[in-house]
């Protein structure tokens, strides 16, 4: 088929319009690049293929960081959320996390509207079937209908679409998700170009008809009042919130699952892809945890104007007749009707060790990968990568250095480093336990960590940046005030002293010393400190955390400082490991396979010892 060159050339071409594609395209366009976004279906922009929610444990951190850098996800969920909750409130600030139910259709429509209104961003419906590569660099993309779009950089955000195969029982058919065509041809070309292509699997539950659920027999779960926004730019959320409902499987449910395992594609060997260990299907849970007599599910509304409910944690690829029996075995769901069946989906991905930390591929100059093509699972993980790929593609077009976030700067940095340094053989999911500096990387301080970086690359608008600078200054001023203001025993309220076991106080205490005590918060300080009344809540929160956790924070900052030298030492791309004496054969093999960009990356490759890192460091110095 002869190809027609489109009559406009682009700086950045983004393939796919899921959560990664949206952030990538918006970032590139907002940074001044002529950007083209191509997707198989323009009506499925930012569609939530699985659970209708944003955030959660560690994922909330990613959304806050996306927002701090100037991304859209936080604003979009604030505008379309129907239930907001802060998780882990009884635990320390490092692991607290925000989560919100979304109105699925509103979320998609608002994001589409934002993208349609964005200057320098063109949206087109087309299936990309191949890359145009010349001299080791990407030049554009080819589409199914024979149009070639030329561009300086290309970002692949293909989600579950590359050679997507949907499974319901032992029946399977090609699809990118239920109702959408797969992308065929692209992964074959990536293999030919030298990429290591693997196969992963994920799944989704059935969608249930809320009119056929007896909610009176279920436990309602309400959101926080007032709801706390995701975006640092959102002042408040004033739309009415809706409840979710808690239900449980039972022994009969598990018996139905076990009786259908011979027709499960997972257990019949039909599915070759590796599934997510941390988000298993219900048949996986029943087989792996036989001692558990029930599993919890949250019935989550898919929107305010629909009757569809999403039963979280109950994804399955069992045959439809087993699905009917299983869902109807749950109390309150005895008469439930399935509106959309559950299914599993297999898809191709590229091993992310073939990427630089900028998310540009090591094999093809100007080609970036973001989202599930890198082996991740989750909207938030995808959006974080999409944002960074969009920023770095735009910076490359502008002849500027890439923006690289270290492990001490953000969960986005931890995720990307994990992927490009270690690769993944299963769908990668973010956890707070993956971040060794998690006390520094809290949700609440994402703007203090990253707003400046977002402004430097041109993503944070001036008004938002001005508000941030004002907040940062007020935090500094309040910390200074608390260090100077004192509680004098002679002037103190006796009732206050008695309440906190300080009746025999002899020496004065600064307000900072008072706040350091675990039993005194800002609310208590208000009783004796008139100056605290005028301090905004967001400033109070920061000041209190910084004072109470000062010792721990300083210790982590020392660790960051010690590792900075390793992270900042670049390894020349042409370094010949075979010519370096003292490296074992195993270490050489690992280094040749992973080709780390820095000594820090090398130190995290399994099997590369501290001694080996020292030897490489000396070899780099010897080269001058």
């Amino acid at each position: 088929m002869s190809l027609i060159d489109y009559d406009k050339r682009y700086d950045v071409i983004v393939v796919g319009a899921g959560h990664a594609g949206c952030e990538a395209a918006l970032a590139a366009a907002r940074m001044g690049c002529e950007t083209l976004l191509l997707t198989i279906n323009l009506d499925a922009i930012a569609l939530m293929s699985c659970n209708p929610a944003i955030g959660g444990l560690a994922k909330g951190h990613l959304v806050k960081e996306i927002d701090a850098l100037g991304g859209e996800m936080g604003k979009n969920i604030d505008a379309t959320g129907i239930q907001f909750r802060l998780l882990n409130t009884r635990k320390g600030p490092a692991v607290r996390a925000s989560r919100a139910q979304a109105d699925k259709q509103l979320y998609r429509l608002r994001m589409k509207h934002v993208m349609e209104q964005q200057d320098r961003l063109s949206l087109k419906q087309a299936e990309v079937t191949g890359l145009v590569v010349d001299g080791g660099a990407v030049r554009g993309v080819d589409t199914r209908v024979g149009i070639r779009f030329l561009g300086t950089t290309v970002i692949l955000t293909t989600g579950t679409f590359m050679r997507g195969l949907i499974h319901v029982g032992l029946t399977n058919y090609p699809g990118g998700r239920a109702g959408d065509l797969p992308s065929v041809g692209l992964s074959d070309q990536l293999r030919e170009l030298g990429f290591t292509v693997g196969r992963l699997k994920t799944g989704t539950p059935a969608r249930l008809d809320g009119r056929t659920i007896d909610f009176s027999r279920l436990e309602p779960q309400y959101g926080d009042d007032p709801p706390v926004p995701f975006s640092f730019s959102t002042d408040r959320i004033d739309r009415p919130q809706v409840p979710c409902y808690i239900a449980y499987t039972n022994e009969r449910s598990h018996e139905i699952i076990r009786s259908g395992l011979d027709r499960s594609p997972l257990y019949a060997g039909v599915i070759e892809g590796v599934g997510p260990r941390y988000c298993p299907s219900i048949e996986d849970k029943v087989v792996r945890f036989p001692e558990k007599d029930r599993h919890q599910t949250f019935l989550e509304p898919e929107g305010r104007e629909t009757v569809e409910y999403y039963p979280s944690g109950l994804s399955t690829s069992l045959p439809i007749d087993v699905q009917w029996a299983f869902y109807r075995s749950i109390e309150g769901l005895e008469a439930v009707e399935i509106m959309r069946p559950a299914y599993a989906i297999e898809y191709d991905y590229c091993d992310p060790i073939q990427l630089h930390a900028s998310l540009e591929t090591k094999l093809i100059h100007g080609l970036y990968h973001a989202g599930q093509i890198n082996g991740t699972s989750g909207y938030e993980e995808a959006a974080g990568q999409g944002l960074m790929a969009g920023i770095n593609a735009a910076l490359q077009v502008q002849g500027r250095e890439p923006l690289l976030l270290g492990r001490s700067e953000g969960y986005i940095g931890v995720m990307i480093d994990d992927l490009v340094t270690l690769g993944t053989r299963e769908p990668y999911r973010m956890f707070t336990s993956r971040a060794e500096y998690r006390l520094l990387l809290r949700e609440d301080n994402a703007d203090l960590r990253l707003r400046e970086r977002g402004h430097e690359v041109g993503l944070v608008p001036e008004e938002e940046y001005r508000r941030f600078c004002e907040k940062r200054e007020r935090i500094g001023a309040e910390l200074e005030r608390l260090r100077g203001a004192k509680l004098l025993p002679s002037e103190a309220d006796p009732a206050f002293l008695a309440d906190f076991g300080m009746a025999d106080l002899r020496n004065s205490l600064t307000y900072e010393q008072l706040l350091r005590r675990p039993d005194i918060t800002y609310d208590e300080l208000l009783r004796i400190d008139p100056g605290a009344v005028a301090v905004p809540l967001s400033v109070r929160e920061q000041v209190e955390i910084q004072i109470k956790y000062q010792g721990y924070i300083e210790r982590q900052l020392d660790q960051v400082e010690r590792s900075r030298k390793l992270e900042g030492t670049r390894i020349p791309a042409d370094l010949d490991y075979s010519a370096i004496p003292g490296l074992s054969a195993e270490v050489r093999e690992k280094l040749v396979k992973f080709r780390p960009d820095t000594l820090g990356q090398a130190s995290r490759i399994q099997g590369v010892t501290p001694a080996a890192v020292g030897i490489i460091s000396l070899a780099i110095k010897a080269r001058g």
Side-chain angles (χ1 to χ4, degrees):
M1 180 175 68
S2 60
L3 288 156
I4 303 162
D5 281 3
Y6 193 65
D7 61 359
K8 179 177 179 179
R9 188 185 170 85
Y10 296 91
D11 297 317
V12 180
I13 297 174
V14 180
V15 179
H19 304 279
C22 290
E23 295 293 352
L26 285 171
R30 287 168 176 172
M31 287 171 66
C33 291
E34 282 299 325
T35 306
L36 170 66
L37 180 133
L38 298 169
T39 179
I40 287 175
N41 182 1
L42 275 177
D43 290 323
I45 284 177
L47 181 65
M48 294 174 146
S49 315
C50 198
N51 62 321
I54 294 292
L57 301 180
K59 292 166 174 278
H61 290 71
L62 290 171
V63 182
K64 293 273 189 178
E65 291 178 0
I66 290 163
D67 184 71
L69 286 164
E72 193 63 31
M73 183 174 257
K75 291 187 176 80
N76 211 56
I77 185 60
D78 284 350
T80 60
I82 54 179
Q83 191 201 87
F84 291 77
R85 287 182 67 218
L86 193 59
L87 311 177
N88 274 353
T89 50
R90 291 192 182 89
K91 297 187 178 177
V95 293
R96 283 176 208 151
S98 304
R99 185 179 190 273
Q101 288 297 123
D103 187 308
K104 181 174 167 175
Q105 297 303 338
L106 276 183
Y107 187 94
R108 167 183 72 82
L109 289 168
R110 183 193 176 276
M111 188 67 90
K112 184 169 188 270
H113 174 75
V114 167
M115 297 183 77
E116 287 173 345
Q117 301 307 309
Q118 179 60 51
D119 292 342
R120 292 183 289 274
L121 176 56
S122 302
L123 310 178
K124 296 191 187 299
Q125 185 162 296
E127 183 193 340
V128 171
T129 52
L131 299 168
V132 183
V133 178
D134 181 32
V138 74
R139 304 293 181 206
V141 297
D142 292 335
T143 63
R144 175 76 62 202
V145 294
I147 299 173
R148 172 168 283 180
F149 293 97
L150 297 174
T152 308
T153 59
V154 172
I155 305 172
L156 293 183
T157 71
T158 51
T160 60
F161 280 69
M162 280 204 306
R163 255 183 5 108
L165 189 66
I166 290 172
H167 297 266
V168 180
L170 300 181
T171 303
N172 55 62
Y173 58 92
R177 63 181 154 228
D180 282 325
L181 296 167
S183 163
V184 180
L186 197 52
S187 55
D188 291 335
Q189 188 194 10
L190 289 169
R191 261 194 206 90
E192 288 163 16
L193 289 168
F195 288 95
T196 303
V197 178
R199 198 92 169 129
L200 294 177
K201 167 231 153 207
T202 189
T204 189
R207 302 308 191 272
L208 307 177
D209 187 338
R211 296 168 300 179
T212 60
I213 297 172
D214 183 354
F215 292 107
S216 68
R217 295 167 64 198
L218 303 178
E219 179 189 336
Q221 184 196 52
Y222 297 95
D224 295 340
D225 187 17
V228 179
F230 267 95
S231 175
F232 292 101
S233 310
T234 306
D235 292 322
R236 67 178 183 278
I237 290 157
D238 40 25
R239 283 183 325 285
Q241 305 292 291
V242 300
C244 298
Y245 294 86
I246 299 172
Y248 296 92
T249 64
N250 52 53
E251 196 42 59
R252 190 164 138 259
S253 317
H254 301 174
E255 194 44 54
I256 291 165
I257 296 283
R258 283 189 282 266
S259 73
L261 288 178
D262 60 327
R263 293 191 290 146
S264 159
L266 206 58
Y267 288 91
V270 177
I271 290 179
E272 57 184 83
V274 181
R277 194 178 2 149
Y278 306 107
C279 189
S281 64
I282 187 63
E283 53 264 45
D284 254 355
K285 290 180 189 175
V286 169
V287 170
R288 281 164 50 186
F289 309 109
E291 73 285 355
K292 291 199 74 165
D293 55 9
R294 69 177 193 171
H295 293 281
Q296 183 176 271
T297 176
F298 292 94
L299 296 179
E300 302 170 345
E302 294 236 317
R304 202 176 269 111
E305 303 298 328
T306 178
V307 297
E308 285 189 76
Y309 273 76
Y310 175 95
S312 73
L314 299 185
S315 69
T316 180
S317 53
L318 287 163
I320 190 68
D321 57 314
V322 182
Q323 291 188 33
W324 290 329
F326 162 64
Y327 287 114
R328 288 172 182 169
S329 70
I330 296 170
E331 185 177 347
L333 275 63
E334 290 87 351
V336 78
E337 290 289 342
I338 290 176
M339 295 178 74
R340 306 182 201 220
Y343 62 87
I345 183 166
E346 284 187 280
Y347 55 95
D348 286 347
Y349 82 107
C350 292
D351 190 336
I353 67 164
Q354 296 177 295
L355 299 174
H356 296 292
S358 63
L359 297 180
E360 184 181 19
T361 67
K362 293 175 179 176
L363 291 172
I364 306 293
H365 180 69
L367 176 65
Y368 294 77
H369 289 176
Q372 280 177 287
I373 191 172
N374 290 337
T376 57
S377 76
Y379 310 145
E380 305 81 4
E381 288 89 342
Q385 292 171 71
L387 179 68
M388 296 308 291
I391 289 171
N392 286 324
L395 289 172
Q396 184 179 122
V397 167
Q398 294 163 358
R400 296 159 70 190
E401 286 296 305
L403 173 63
L404 308 178
L405 295 182
R407 296 182 73 88
S408 62
E409 294 177 281
Y411 273 73
I412 293 174
V414 172
M415 168 179 64
I416 291 174
D417 184 68
D418 280 351
L419 292 170
V420 305
T421 306
L422 306 172
T424 188
R425 291 281 171 269
E426 64 184 16
Y428 175 99
R429 182 179 174 179
M430 196 70 240
F431 292 106
T432 53
S433 59
R434 294 191 190 273
E436 59 270 47
Y437 305 119
R438 57 185 169 276
L439 191 54
L440 302 178
L441 308 182
R442 307 181 308 275
E443 265 198 13
D444 60 80
N445 70 352
D447 58 339
L448 296 173
R449 291 184 278 118
L450 297 172
R451 206 48 140 180
E452 197 73 60
R453 309 292 293 274
H455 184 252
E456 282 167 9
V457 298
L459 268 188
V460 175
E462 288 306 320
E463 177 54 28
E464 288 184 19
Y465 183 64
R466 185 194 60 75
R467 282 178 61 180
F468 161 71
C469 290
E470 200 175 278
K471 174 185 168 181
R472 187 170 57 184
E473 283 159 19
R474 292 194 75 163
I475 290 166
E478 180 63 359
L479 283 166
E480 199 58 43
R481 185 185 77 82
L482 293 172
R483 286 185 196 115
K486 289 182 178 176
L487 174 71
L488 302 171
S490 56
E491 297 172 11
D493 174 9
F496 179 85
L497 294 178
D499 285 349
F500 296 99
M502 295 187 291
D504 56 353
L505 185 69
R506 295 285 172 267
N507 300 315
S508 64
L509 288 173
T510 66
Y511 287 162
E512 181 190 44
Q513 288 171 316
L514 280 175
L515 260 186
R516 200 162 282 145
R517 293 171 56 121
D519 54 343
I520 294 182
T521 65
Y522 246 105
D523 289 339
E524 277 81 40
L525 202 61
L526 289 170
R527 290 169 55 182
I528 56 164
D529 177 13
V533 178
V535 181
L537 274 171
S538 60
V539 173
R540 276 191 220 169
E541 177 186 46
Q542 272 315 301
V543 169
E544 190 171 324
I545 289 171
Q546 286 184 35
I547 288 174
K548 285 196 188 301
Y549 294 89
Q550 185 183 0
Y552 300 105
I553 289 170
E554 284 174 355
R555 225 170 308 168
Q556 290 213 334
L557 287 169
D558 285 345
Q559 291 170 346
V560 171
E561 202 48 53
R562 283 199 298 274
S563 69
R564 184 159 285 154
K565 195 174 175 189
L566 277 183
E567 300 301 337
T569 304
R570 294 199 66 76
I571 299 174
D574 61 347
L575 187 65
D576 182 4
Y577 294 109
S578 65
I580 301 174
L583 293 178
S584 71
E586 184 201 358
V587 166
R588 278 202 185 95
E589 191 183 316
K590 289 278 176 74
L591 292 167
V592 169
K593 179 185 176 187
F594 285 86
R595 300 298 318 182
D597 289 327
T598 64
L599 281 181
Q601 282 187 9
S603 72
R604 287 186 289 278
I605 297 170
Q606 202 170 7
V608 176
T609 61
V613 173
I615 292 167
I616 302 163
S617 177
L618 290 172
I620 294 169
K621 278 180 187 159
R623 280 178 53 135

